[in-house]
Amino acid sequence: MLAIRLTAEPDRLDTVALPVRPGTDDAAPAEPVPTGVVLPDGVADEAAALAPLGRFAGRAGEIRAQLRPGRIPARLLLVGVGEGDEAAWRTVGAALVRATRDETHVTLALPAGVSPEAVRGLVEGLLLGSYRFRLGVDSDAPALTGVDLAVTDPAAYEQAVAVARTTAEMTRLARDLTNTPSSVKNPQWFADQVAEAATDLPELRLRVREPEQLAAEGFGGILAVGGGSASGPRLVELDWHPVEARTHVVLVGKGITFDTGGISIKPVPAMKLMRKDMAGAAAVVAATLGAAALRLPVRITTLAPLAENMVSGAAFRPGDIVRHYGGLTSETTNSDAEGRLVLADALAYAVRELKPDLLVDLATLTGANAVALGTRTGALYSDNDQLAKDLLAAIDAAGEAAWRMPLPADYVEHLGSDLADLHSAPTQGGGSVLAALYLREFTGDLRERWLHIDMSAPSWCERDDAELTRGATGWGVRGLLRWLATLS
Ligand code: BES
Ligand code: MN
Ligand code: ZN
């Protein structure tokens, strides 16, 4: 990860970046933002002369480079900061690391009096925009290793930088877990990664249930879905329990380490990215690790039901009836609707055994998420208006996106089965909505304290875009951490 340093006396001046904002009205040219930082003679004047030239508008992330051979700095960058709010600075950070990937170091002078929130956005942009996932020899690795942020009063920003660093580090962990190929990433591997990531946080309690234990306690959904794989299922349970906590949140994340669809096998194009089908588990685990690292005063128990949905002689079949934790049964007409089966067990367990104040689950649950909302927006469901509002606000502030969807009462009848309590894969359409309604059946007394996000779409992106990098996005980590930080 890039080394980010706050400094009042910038001393690495090979490449210096200065902020530039749009002119005060449409006709006015872009202009440098005063920084208060002491820079080599003539640099500020040169920036002021360069800013108004040509089409440079000072939009967030717009960059103009000036080479100055034999002088200090040898490279001067004008960096557009647009509105100068947190979101703009996130874009600036990501653009800057891309523009300087072939430099070893860059010093960015920050505007005098810049807000800590803006610096948080900037640091998240720097650390997320420079993320890469590569296995093996990386022949095209960026040269950039460090960014110095020059400010007059570094102490005012230490906290914002620390929070941003933890947030980005955990988002990067979620990306790593999700990008990892499924030849490596089986349920036990995922549990091992959680254990490893938690070693620096000794107060975090981790329990991993193996198939024997899952059978003894009746986790029939996890066992059915995991039954077809040579790598057996697991249930990860992480607990962050600070003494001062007054609220207990349970987070649940779908952890299908590969989804072939099972016997109801997926066609080639639909299967090729199904290593990402544990992105919900990655997000809730990473957010919990982040909450513990930041010592947030809220109790968080995190459940990651992990299974590989495979095709084999031991796989569960369409038409099988699964008995979930707690006793509810599902008729499974489509083995590709596996996520809800493992989540149902975890939700029922949370409701019966953990009895939290709030219950939130994240899952790459249906292709219908993208049909309804496109590629960047999660589908959020809850009967609790306040909870929905709070999560939406946190997600939005964090730079992620979700949209609240309905849970229509008159669709509930589609979940009916002649043979079991519920039908796991109704065919009436509205796939993301029906999946949410199915999950709600397992929330018991906590129905009004539950929130679900179908994050199939935003868990992945096809191209670099601001702080997102091609592949896994780590979606949910940033929004969850912001929301958790508002609880106590
Ligand atoms: N993991 C998939 C959903 C998915 C699709 C995630 C595309 C990310 C991108 C899930 O297990 C699934 O297969 N859902 C089915 C449900 C259907 C069988 C009721 C779907 O969406 O088609
Ligand atoms: Mn599936
Ligand atoms: Zn799936």
Side-chain angles (χ1 to χ4, degrees):
M1 199 159 86
L2 273 184
I4 312 271
R5 196 171 66 119
L6 284 162
T7 176
E9 285 155 14
D11 52 2
R12 299 196 58 180
L13 299 171
D14 336 309
T15 302
V16 169
L18 297 179
V20 174
R21 66 187 166 209
T24 38
D25 62 71
D26 283 352
E31 58 187 21
V33 189
T35 69
V37 176
V38 179
L39 294 167
D41 286 346
V43 169
D45 291 343
E46 191 167 328
L50 286 167
L53 301 180
R55 284 193 182 212
F56 189 72
R59 282 187 303 271
E62 215 181 334
I63 291 181
R64 165 174 286 180
Q66 174 76 4
L67 294 178
R68 309 162 85 240
R71 295 160 70 198
I72 295 173
R75 199 174 179 214
L76 175 62
L77 301 177
L78 302 190
V79 181
V81 301
E83 296 295 304
D85 56 355
E86 183 174 355
W89 277 98
R90 207 182 287 125
T91 303
V92 170
L96 185 62
V97 287
R98 291 208 175 91
T100 54
R101 81 185 298 286
D102 297 327
E103 314 288 317
T104 51
H105 186 275
V106 54
T107 293
L108 169 64
L110 296 184
V114 65
S115 70
E117 291 72 32
V119 173
R120 177 176 180 174
L122 168 66
V123 172
E124 289 183 8
L126 293 168
L127 295 176
L128 294 176
S130 57
Y131 172 85
R132 286 160 71 80
F133 182 79
R134 271 295 173 98
L135 294 179
V137 180
D138 191 350
S139 49
D140 188 36
L144 188 69
T145 55
V147 179
D148 281 2
L149 306 179
V151 275
T152 47
D153 48 348
Y157 303 99
E158 297 288 359
Q159 175 67 12
V161 171
V163 170
R165 195 180 274 128
T166 300
T167 304
E169 206 177 312
M170 293 307 156
T171 304
R172 291 167 62 106
L173 171 66
R175 288 183 185 178
D176 279 345
L177 294 169
T178 306
N179 280 326
T180 296
S182 298
S183 52
V184 172
K185 177 174 61 188
N186 61 37
Q188 181 60 50
W189 179 89
F190 186 99
D192 290 342
Q193 300 303 301
V194 178
E196 196 182 311
T199 44
D200 296 340
L201 301 161
E203 297 131 292
L204 264 177
R205 203 176 51 81
L206 171 64
R207 176 167 179 199
V208 180
R209 286 179 177 80
E210 305 204 346
E212 300 66 37
Q213 195 57 39
L214 293 170
E217 294 180 57
F219 288 94
I222 300 174
L223 288 165
V225 174
S229 172
S231 309
R234 298 287 185 271
L235 175 62
V236 158
E237 180 171 350
L238 256 185
D239 194 38
W240 164 244
H241 194 171
V243 282
E244 64 275 31
R246 286 186 291 119
T247 304
H248 183 194
V249 177
V250 168
L251 301 178
V252 179
K254 172 177 172 180
I256 300 300
T257 61
F258 193 77
D259 183 12
T260 64
I263 300 297
S264 315
I265 194 167
K266 286 182 185 292
V268 171
M271 202 192 297
K272 73 173 184 191
L273 283 179
M274 281 301 134
R275 71 174 181 282
K276 76 167 181 182
D277 212 15
M278 36 52 70
V284 296
V285 161
T288 308
L289 293 164
L294 295 170
R295 306 201 64 83
L296 299 184
V298 55
R299 181 173 178 202
I300 307 165
T301 310
T302 295
L303 300 169
L306 301 161
E308 190 181 37
N309 190 23
M310 294 296 273
V311 189
S312 87
F316 79 116
R317 289 148 291 250
D320 282 359
I321 293 178
V322 168
R323 180 178 297 274
H324 295 281
Y325 188 94
L328 283 178
T329 53
S330 292
E331 179 187 356
T332 62
T333 42
N334 185 333
S335 66
D336 199 10
E338 84 298 337
R340 64 197 76 185
L341 299 178
V342 304
L343 292 168
D345 279 10
L347 292 172
Y349 168 75
V351 171
R352 292 171 70 103
E353 308 297 334
L354 304 173
K355 302 181 174 58
D357 300 302
L358 298 168
L359 177 58
V360 172
D361 77 80
L362 266 63
T364 49
L365 205 55
T366 72
N369 170 201
V371 176
L373 298 174
T375 53
R376 292 291 161 79
T377 307
L380 181 146
Y381 299 85
S382 181
D383 286 322
N384 183 324
D385 291 345
Q386 187 63 48
L387 181 59
K389 193 164 163 264
D390 291 349
L391 247 316
L392 284 168
I395 290 167
D396 181 60
E400 297 177 328
W403 188 257
R404 190 171 177 190
M405 300 281 278
L407 291 160
D410 51 356
Y411 292 4
V412 173
E413 62 175 321
H414 300 324
L415 300 171
S417 157
D418 294 339
L419 306 171
D421 295 316
L422 293 159
H423 200 305
S424 65
T427 49
Q428 276 83 359
S432 182
V433 178
L434 290 173
L437 287 168
Y438 171 89
L439 293 179
R440 192 177 67 177
E441 297 298 316
F442 294 87
T443 60
D445 303 344
L446 295 184
R447 183 169 162 145
E448 311 267 295
R449 291 161 170 272
W450 162 79
L451 180 143
H452 156 68
I453 307 179
D454 188 341
M455 50 171 287
S456 308
S459 63
W460 198 266
C461 68
E462 294 299 331
R463 57 181 178 85
D464 293 354
D465 182 10
E467 77 275 20
L468 300 184
T469 49
R470 195 185 158 137
T473 57
W475 194 94
V477 178
R478 288 188 274 153
L480 281 175
L481 270 174
R482 288 236 178 192
W483 174 66
L484 291 166
T486 65
L487 305 175
S488 61

